Amino acid sequence: MAAGAVMDIVSVPEAIEWQARHAENAGARGTAQVVRGLLALEDSEAATARRIFNWQGLSLRDAMPLRIAGGIHNLLLTGEEPRLEDVYAGRMPAQDDVDALIRELIETHDARLMPWLDGPPQTNEAGRSANFAAALLWLADGRTTAQFEFLEIGASAGINTMMGRYHYDLGGVTTGPGTSRMQIAPEWRGTPPPASDIGFVDARGNDIAPVDLTDGSQALRLKSYVWPEATGRMARIDAAIELAQRMPPEIERMDAADWVEQELARDQEDGVTRVLAHSIMWQYLPDATQERIEAAMQAAGAAATKERPFAHLSLETNRETFAHELKVRFWPGGKETAHLANAHPHGAWVEWLGA
């Protein structure tokens, strides 16, 4: 089934089963069992169960199964339901046993779990920033300046906004402080990006519901959306939390279009490239918001000069192929969008396509 058709699935049971298979294929068997266990709720009278099976919208496009999966994982992380450890660790292989446990948990923690369905998962992942680092190296290779003002839309907890504090090994090309607590070295496929000496003069972001990494409960909520089997991702979130506690990222609570218009209207330093970036979030923006952001970017591009360049970086899902594509536009000079890489959504690998 094409990716676009997958996102348009209207049957809740079919969507749940697709999400379970997706987790299974990604090596997260316990998470797959938990998601598949939601099917046992179809005749439950719990309010959370009724909301799931009467979902108003396209459940995969809304990431509904992952919303509630995050809430269930949170029950383990808070110590409220240690029995889930057996599921995630593979010690409860029978799906019938998992089904019974998930039904019991939903019905027992009904009021506690219901709010997890209110919004999409916050899947802030430091590994994705390897794509941005490679794109900035590519831009600095004679296309723009090598000093950047980094602006991130939908920054969530600001984990990628802090990318200037991370060290990267991108196919043998390194950048960022070598002593950083955050060491990012994805499996690199293809030639490495160009080596350049890049720097950040500023980095800030926005989110309509930002996560404060210095707040223990909010940080734990963010960790809840990470599949327990993904130990590398969990370690990166822990590293990001430690860095944020030393100096929190600057994230403004604001509508994305309002924020972009505000930030792109600010004065820009000579010799600094202003970069607008986002990852795995564009699909959640209303069409009108996307249109306003695009118009603001076009205006910024038209006003860009050699001394004050502007660039747009995106790592988003191609709705036809389901590939996660790194694309770059820059002004002045970059008339066409450059497709620089395809990447794993959580940063495990990068397939470099750029020259």
Side-chain angles (χ1 to χ4, degrees):
M1 184 182 293
V6 166
M7 290 297 103
D8 292 337
I9 289 174
V10 295
S11 163
V12 169
E14 187 178 350
I16 290 171
E17 178 57 34
W18 184 92
Q19 188 65 73
R21 288 198 306 270
H22 180 71
E24 226 160 31
N25 293 338
R29 186 173 184 273
T31 296
Q33 287 183 292
V34 167
V35 171
R36 191 170 281 120
L38 299 174
L39 294 171
L41 298 167
E42 191 161 9
D43 64 348
S44 171
E45 293 302 316
T48 301
R50 302 287 17 103
R51 187 173 175 190
I52 289 170
F53 282 92
N54 292 289
W55 191 256
Q56 299 300 304
L58 297 171
S59 57
L60 285 177
R61 193 177 297 275
D62 292 341
M64 180 272 286
L66 296 182
R67 298 184 188 200
I68 193 62
I72 293 170
H73 184 201
N74 186 262
L75 292 175
L76 172 63
L77 292 178
T78 59
E80 294 168 79
E81 287 294 348
R83 291 176 294 172
L84 284 164
E85 178 65 36
D86 287 339
V87 182
Y88 295 122
R91 295 191 295 267
M92 193 180 289
Q95 184 64 49
D96 285 350
D97 293 339
V98 178
D99 291 350
L101 176 60
I102 296 305
R103 181 169 179 134
E104 179 189 338
L105 297 188
I106 294 288
E107 293 179 345
T108 301
H109 301 280
D110 198 7
R112 163 92 156 70
L113 290 171
M114 176 71 91
W116 286 82
L117 290 168
D118 290 344
Q122 295 272 21
T123 53
N124 219 196
E125 169 50 58
R128 293 174 185 161
S129 66
N131 293 272
F132 291 158
L136 295 180
L137 290 171
W138 182 82
L139 286 170
D141 189 36
R143 296 174 177 86
T144 67
T145 71
Q147 297 297 304
F148 296 99
E149 174 193 9
F150 188 78
L151 309 174
E152 186 185 11
I153 317 171
S156 184
I159 288 179
N160 289 317
T161 313
M162 296 191 292
M163 64 171 292
R165 306 187 217 173
Y166 305 162
H167 182 261
Y168 300 91
D169 184 335
L170 308 173
V173 169
T174 60
T175 187
T179 58
S180 174
R181 170 84 164 75
M182 184 77 79
Q183 299 283 325
I184 297 178
E187 176 193 336
W188 199 264
R189 303 174 183 177
T191 60
S196 299
D197 186 15
I198 61 174
F200 294 82
V201 300
D202 196 7
R204 56 194 186 276
N206 97 291
D207 199 274
I208 196 167
V211 177
D212 181 359
L213 288 177
T214 67
D215 180 300
S217 62
Q218 292 189 48
L220 191 64
R221 181 181 179 87
L222 190 68
K223 292 175 73 170
S224 300
Y225 290 118
V226 177
W227 295 348
E229 299 89 345
T231 55
R233 290 190 65 199
M234 198 68 79
R236 286 192 292 274
I237 284 190
D238 285 338
I241 290 170
E242 182 180 311
L243 289 169
Q245 287 172 341
R246 296 178 190 173
M247 184 173 69
E250 183 183 336
I251 309 298
E252 187 169 6
R253 182 185 296 271
M254 196 170 178
D255 171 79
D258 290 343
W259 186 78
V260 169
E261 291 167 352
Q262 167 189 287
E263 296 304 306
L264 297 189
R266 293 184 188 276
D267 289 340
Q268 183 175 343
E269 291 183 53
D270 284 344
V272 175
T273 301
R274 176 169 283 167
V275 174
L276 187 67
H278 52 87
S279 62
I280 323 296
M281 57 75 65
W282 192 254
Q283 72 191 63
Y284 299 122
L285 295 178
D287 290 345
T289 301
Q290 293 181 3
E291 290 165 6
R292 284 177 60 194
I293 292 172
E294 180 63 33
M297 287 194 297
Q298 290 296 336
T305 66
K306 185 177 180 181
E307 293 74 26
R308 298 179 180 182
F310 174 65
H312 171 221
L313 313 184
S314 66
L315 178 67
E316 296 292 346
T317 308
N318 182 315
R319 308 319 299 179
E320 298 302 319
T321 65
F322 222 55
H324 298 85
E325 299 175 344
L326 172 66
K327 294 187 175 182
V328 181
R329 291 183 287 175
F330 66 96
W331 296 265
K335 295 182 179 179
E336 302 295 331
T337 299
H339 181 182
L340 294 186
N342 293 328
H344 185 276
H346 301 146
W349 54 263
V350 175
E351 179 187 7
W352 185 251
L353 308 174

